[in-house]
Amino acid sequence: MRLSLIGAAVLASTLAPAFADEGMWQPHQLPELESVLKEKGLEIDPKSISKLTEFPMNAVISLGGCTASFVSPKGLVVTNHHCAYGSIQYNSTPENNILKDGFLASTFDNELPASPGSRVYVTEEVTNVTDKVNANLKANMDGKERYLAIEKAEKSLVAECEQQQGYRCNVYTFHGGLEYYLIKSLEIQDVRLVYNPALGVGKYGGDIDNWMWPRHTGDYAFYRAYVNKDGKPAPFSTDNVPFSSDSFLKVSAKGVEEGDFVMVTGYPGRTNRYRTASEVRHQFNHVYPTAKAYREQSIDIIKDNAPDGSPARIAYESTLAGLANYAKNYGGMIDSYQNTDMQARKDKLARDLSAWIMVDNKRKKQYSQVLKQLDELI
């Protein structure tokens, strides 16, 4: 068994094993799933990967929108090519188009500043703050009052946490408001581009196969995190030094084999799962087609006004990639929805859930109006 820690997508870390009976869990939940994970092939103690602040989990970091990992004690960071796309584009010119041709810094001095606003976030503390967020909530509050009370509590916790310079704090909600966690992360501001493959490797095949088929793409790039000589986060400076990380991952040269247990860890943007049948119908009949058309129009406008190889096109490459990614995603989902029995299956699931609720008086009393209310909200 080889445990592969692979960069995925923003908020708090979850783990998603790639089984038919897949799920997503917070690391602290893994010991509770020990018997299931062992049955699937996990050979290490789940407790050893249950804390974001201890090795190996603390080697997995966030870029504030993408997941990355430390892979050396000198602050070297590996992430996806598309996650570094903006920084690659930022450093490209018609005369030195590293987006097209690739880039390798042979020395520390040759590393390039990442795009403005680039950050490396290293999680240092995870605190359950559910009681503090819920302290001022009352049963008779309406939706807006409840929202504002939660927002006030979250802002207060974040403000207190960020009094220590060099840190970024956020409160994240899990399980629809059942739990709240305060994540305190070291915010490294000086991020530099170390390596990116040529476009023909990093984005092999473009968006043709995207969201449809496995792509044999060199979807990786390297950053390096820098801090000042005191080891504290600081803006870009030639006096800064590579961040010293005691926790970093090593890439196994053995690879993986058929049947190996693989677990993915990352900072996803969201982990929503349940959607009503009405919501599915609304999304695919109204929301996605509109969003797809908007992005396709935006792509056409950029291409019409920024020829290939021009400074303007290079400046828009990251934007184009994002637009194309979403347009392809929405288009594929719309086609899948229209050409399969997805809606019929969702309708059946809704009927089965309703029947399960109505057959029990206790459930009927508590939940009979919930599905109707959700549909009305949609």
Side-chain angles (χ1 to χ4, degrees):
M1 187 283 295
R2 301 176 185 89
L3 177 66
S4 302
L5 294 176
I6 307 169
V10 133
L11 302 186
S13 179
T14 59
L15 294 171
F19 313 129
D21 53 344
E22 67 183 44
M24 299 189 76
W25 300 285
Q26 296 163 258
H28 72 259
Q29 296 175 303
L30 295 180
E32 302 172 29
L33 300 165
E34 181 173 4
S35 60
V36 177
L37 294 173
K38 294 286 188 181
E39 181 184 345
K40 299 300 182 184
L42 180 68
E43 295 179 2
I44 61 176
D45 185 351
K47 292 186 179 68
S48 68
I49 51 174
S50 65
K51 294 183 179 180
L52 286 173
T53 54
E54 296 179 6
F55 183 82
M57 299 302 290
N58 61 348
V60 181
I61 56 180
S62 171
L63 302 180
C66 277
T67 297
S69 303
F70 284 124
V71 288
S72 90
K74 292 291 186 180
L76 190 65
V77 171
V78 66
T79 187
N80 297 104
H81 175 262
H82 67 264
C83 292
Y85 209 82
S87 294
I88 303 167
Q89 166 260 308
Y90 174 73
N91 286 285
S92 293
T93 65
E95 297 75 28
N96 183 28
N97 193 341
I98 66 171
L99 184 64
K100 177 184 176 183
D101 301 325
F103 169 75
L104 172 63
S106 56
T107 66
F108 290 129
D109 291 339
N110 290 336
E111 294 172 0
L112 301 172
S115 57
S118 296
R119 296 288 188 270
V120 165
Y121 297 100
V122 185
T123 300
E124 291 196 356
E125 292 181 17
V126 180
T127 308
N128 189 324
V129 292
T130 306
D131 290 344
K132 293 181 178 180
V133 173
N134 290 337
N136 294 317
L137 299 184
K138 299 177 182 178
N140 61 351
M141 283 182 167
D142 62 26
K144 182 179 180 181
E145 289 171 333
R146 182 180 179 86
Y147 174 86
L148 292 175
I150 292 172
E151 182 183 53
K152 182 179 179 180
E154 291 177 342
K155 287 183 175 180
S156 176
L157 289 164
V158 168
E160 181 181 357
C161 179
E162 290 185 348
Q163 287 182 0
Q164 188 175 357
Q165 191 172 0
Y167 286 88
R168 175 62 60 88
C169 302
N170 289 284
V171 175
Y172 299 112
T173 178
F174 291 86
H175 318 298
L178 182 66
E179 292 183 314
Y180 294 85
Y181 283 84
L182 176 68
I183 311 292
K184 182 179 181 180
S185 301
L186 188 70
E187 183 182 22
I188 299 176
Q189 304 172 44
D190 188 350
V191 183
R192 305 184 194 180
L193 181 66
V194 177
Y195 169 83
N196 68 270
L199 194 65
V201 174
K203 199 179 179 185
Y204 175 76
D207 289 293
I208 294 174
D209 289 342
N210 195 12
W211 299 107
M212 296 174 66
W213 305 99
R215 292 186 297 165
H216 299 279
T217 306
D219 189 11
Y220 64 95
F222 287 87
Y223 279 135
R224 196 183 304 277
Y226 280 79
V227 291
N228 64 23
K229 292 181 179 179
D230 296 326
K232 305 294 184 182
F236 176 88
S237 170
T238 54
D239 294 329
N240 286 347
V241 296
F243 175 72
S244 179
S245 174
D246 294 331
S247 294
F248 58 91
L249 305 181
K250 296 180 180 180
V251 178
S252 172
K254 296 179 181 179
V256 294
E257 299 175 358
E258 186 73 25
D260 277 354
F261 177 90
V262 175
M263 180 176 281
V264 180
T265 180
Y267 288 79
R270 59 186 179 188
T271 57
N272 296 334
R273 281 296 178 265
Y274 178 74
R275 291 191 297 175
T276 69
S278 295
E279 184 180 359
V280 170
R281 185 181 294 108
H282 178 71
Q283 288 284 97
F284 285 101
N285 289 337
H286 302 286
V287 178
Y288 289 163
T290 302
K292 178 175 180 286
Y294 167 76
R295 283 160 174 78
E296 289 175 339
Q297 290 167 6
S298 300
I299 291 170
D300 290 341
I301 290 171
I302 292 172
K303 289 184 175 180
D304 288 345
N305 291 278
D308 262 331
S310 67
R313 173 60 73 86
I314 292 173
Y316 271 105
E317 281 295 347
S318 183
T319 302
L320 277 174
L323 290 168
N325 185 51
Y326 275 106
K328 187 63 184 290
N329 185 4
Y330 291 148
M333 289 193 292
I334 292 167
D335 289 344
S336 176
Y337 175 77
Q338 293 174 340
N339 296 320
T340 67
D341 62 343
M342 180 190 291
Q343 189 62 55
R345 286 186 283 115
K346 288 298 295 185
D347 289 338
K348 183 179 184 303
L349 283 170
R351 291 193 300 269
D352 291 345
L353 177 59
S354 179
W356 178 80
I357 291 171
M358 300 304 287
V359 78
D360 181 89
N361 287 332
K362 185 177 179 181
R363 290 197 294 262
K364 182 178 178 181
K365 182 178 179 181
Q366 188 170 2
Y367 300 119
S368 62
Q369 296 300 312
V370 171
L371 298 182
K372 179 182 178 183
Q373 290 169 352
L374 284 173
D375 287 340
E376 289 173 350
L377 285 171
I378 293 164

